[in-house]
Amino acid sequence: MEESKEKEVIKEVKSDDASKRRKRVNAIKRFIVSMVIIGILLPNLMCMYLFVKLEKINHRLNDIDVAIAEINDKFVVEEVQAEDEIYYSPDKLEELVIPVDNENIVSDSELYEGRKRVYLTFDDGPSKYTDEILDILNEYNIKATFFVLAKDGYDDQYNRIVREGNTLGIHSYSHVYDTIYASEDSFREDVTAVADYVYNVTGLKVEFYRFPGGSSNRVSSVPTSSFINILNENNLVYFDWNVASGDAVSSPLSSSQIYNNVINGCAGRDDCVVLMHDAVGKHSTVEALPSIIEKLQSEGAVFLPITEGTNQITHKIND
Ligand code: ZN
């Protein structure tokens, strides 16, 4: 009896052990399975999470790129003007005066013989100062020439320039020298783009062009004469300048410095094509205008817009 009890106890203990072992094995199995699942699933989930994050970052980078491009657009004019400085030192320019050669046209020099003829030219506009410049021109009852860029949001200013009898010429679409002067094709593309832009806004077929940096610029490795041929193909006449107001420099000049540059530059010249800028940061140019006009008018000068009756002022090109 005792013996069978003992056996039973041993049996119980054994089955107890077996079930414990089974449980342990099961637990180990579960552990292994869950580890495998975690090992596969977790990296996948992490990958998915990181992928979503990456997409978000890419989107943000895109947004930032667009914002930077917009900011660059706004400041391109100022950047390029600093670049222009090299070309504005008057002693580096050799000017040519090409007389009007068309019997059907009465030239300015015939119309205003014996008088100094001053052609104020404003590059890089329109800008927030265009209206102010136009108001001053109206106040003195004179006309000028605007060599414009393609800038959205200034339709009124483009049209006002034309409506009030000034000459609207073109300067550049992008104003990025390296792009414009990269090849004949890119030059043609820039010129026709800005001409089309102006035509769409004003209905005007432009006739006059100013090279960014002047025709004497040394940015281009393509001969300037090739670019001039392209202008001719498009019925465009280019004008450089023989008087630099000096307002292209990156640190703005005072209005009295600009006044002195213009008055001194015009001294001894019959035809004065004055380079000025209608652009952000160039308000001292606007401030200098009335005194420049008054001084030169008091000396008998006449202020005119560039037309086909104007002697063409160019720089000696560096081909
Ligand atoms: Zn310019």
Side-chain angles (χ1 to χ4, degrees):
M1 194 67 197
E2 273 292 302
E3 209 175 302
S4 71
K5 248 186 189 174
E6 220 168 273
K7 271 182 186 169
E8 237 168 72
V9 169
I10 288 168
K11 235 186 202 173
E12 260 172 43
V13 168
K14 270 189 181 168
S15 78
D16 227 43
D17 271 3
S19 84
K20 270 184 187 167
R21 204 176 303 125
R22 222 176 296 123
K23 273 183 189 166
R24 217 176 301 135
V25 168
N26 280 341
I28 288 167
K29 272 185 189 165
R30 270 200 304 276
F31 178 71
I32 289 169
V33 168
S34 52
M35 280 311 282
V36 167
I37 289 171
I38 287 168
I40 294 167
L41 221 62
L42 205 66
N44 272 316
L45 283 173
M46 281 294 281
C47 274
M48 279 164 75
Y49 173 75
L50 288 174
F51 183 75
V52 169
K53 273 268 176 202
L54 193 70
E55 277 296 287
K56 275 187 184 166
I57 288 168
N58 269 338
H59 269 273
R60 289 199 62 183
L61 278 177
N62 265 343
D63 290 348
I64 289 167
D65 270 351
V66 170
I68 287 172
E70 276 172 11
I71 289 165
N72 277 344
D73 250 353
K74 280 184 187 153
F75 287 98
V76 69
V77 167
E78 277 96 321
E79 268 175 38
V80 172
Q81 277 169 6
E83 200 183 328
D84 277 351
E85 282 176 54
I86 341 161
Y87 308 111
Y88 291 156
S89 168
D91 52 304
K92 284 184 190 157
L93 300 176
E94 256 188 86
E95 80 188 66
L96 302 172
V97 182
I98 304 164
V100 174
D101 184 23
N102 186 336
E103 286 176 2
N104 302 319
I105 293 165
V106 184
S107 67
D108 292 347
S109 39
E110 287 173 88
L111 271 174
Y112 301 99
E113 210 186 329
R115 291 181 73 179
K116 186 192 288 294
R117 298 167 292 271
V118 182
Y119 304 87
L120 298 177
T121 67
F122 299 92
D123 286 10
D124 297 349
S127 76
K128 60 179 176 179
Y129 301 139
T130 310
D131 283 324
E132 211 177 328
I133 293 170
L134 288 166
D135 289 345
I136 293 169
L137 298 176
N138 286 344
E139 203 178 303
Y140 289 91
N141 198 22
I142 63 171
K143 314 292 177 207
T145 302
F146 294 78
F147 290 107
V148 296
L149 307 177
K151 286 167 137 183
D152 291 336
Y154 290 98
D155 287 12
D156 287 348
Q157 284 71 23
Y158 287 105
N159 281 300
R160 221 192 127 184
I161 290 168
V162 179
R163 196 173 58 238
E164 296 181 0
N166 301 285
T167 295
L168 183 61
I170 47 170
H171 184 39
S172 172
Y173 190 86
S174 75
H175 209 279
V176 178
Y177 290 23
D178 289 343
T179 315
I180 300 164
Y181 295 129
S183 68
E184 289 185 28
D185 281 346
S186 53
F187 180 80
R188 187 181 287 110
E189 215 170 277
D190 187 87
V191 170
T192 48
V194 63
D196 289 349
Y197 187 93
V198 167
Y199 181 75
N200 287 334
V201 175
T202 65
L204 178 86
K205 285 202 167 158
V206 286
E207 294 173 69
F208 301 102
Y209 177 79
R210 170 160 288 151
F211 283 96
S215 67
S216 55
N217 79 78
R218 289 173 187 276
V219 177
S220 169
S221 53
V222 179
T224 306
S225 52
S226 309
F227 295 145
I228 294 170
N229 288 339
I230 293 168
L231 295 178
N232 291 339
E233 283 164 21
N234 288 279
N235 299 315
L236 288 163
V237 177
Y238 74 98
F239 272 78
D240 285 310
W241 60 90
N242 57 5
V243 177
S245 70
D247 70 350
V249 292
S250 43
S251 50
L253 293 189
S254 68
S255 58
S256 64
Q257 284 170 304
I258 291 170
Y259 170 88
N260 285 332
N261 287 340
V262 175
I263 302 302
N264 295 336
C266 283
R269 284 188 163 92
D270 294 329
D271 291 296
C272 315
V273 177
V274 183
L275 173 69
M276 295 178 149
H277 288 83
D278 169 14
V280 178
K282 308 291 174 199
H283 196 258
S284 49
T285 304
V286 185
E287 290 161 26
L289 272 181
S291 52
I292 289 170
I293 296 166
E294 283 171 27
K295 171 70 176 165
L296 290 171
Q297 278 186 335
S298 76
E299 294 175 353
V302 59
F303 285 83
L304 301 167
I306 287 174
T307 64
E308 50 188 2
T310 306
N311 294 331
Q312 189 188 3
I313 302 291
T314 72
H315 299 160
K316 195 171 175 292
I317 56 176
N318 299 310
D319 283 357

